[in-house]
């Protein structure tokens, strides 16, 4: 529950007889840049942002209950 989960393993198998240079879908993916975009989306958010969100939530809660 409190432990860090291990990342999922990516399965990337190319068969022996597969030629990516002849595959139309592979050419489209390279042209559109799907693979590069997936790598950019893996950036993790800073813990400072989460800390600020928690502080703001606690402040709003205390403001609504009348303690602050």
């Amino acid at each position: 529950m409190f432990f860090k989960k291990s990342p999922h393993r990516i399965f990337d198998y190319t068969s022996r007889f597969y030629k990516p240079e002849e595959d139309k879908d592979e050419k489209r993916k390279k042209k559109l840049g799907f693979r590069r975009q997936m790598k950019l989306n893996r950036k993790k958010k800073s813990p400072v942002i989460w800390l600020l969100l928690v502080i703001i939530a606690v402040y709003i809660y205390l403001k609504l209950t009348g303690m602050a």
Side-chain angles (χ1 to χ4, degrees), residues 33-44:
F34 282 135
R35 300 206 190 267
R36 282 179 269 143
Q37 187 179 18
M38 285 175 52
K39 289 179 183 177
L40 292 174
N41 288 341
R42 291 185 185 170
K43 292 181 181 177
K44 294 183 180 178

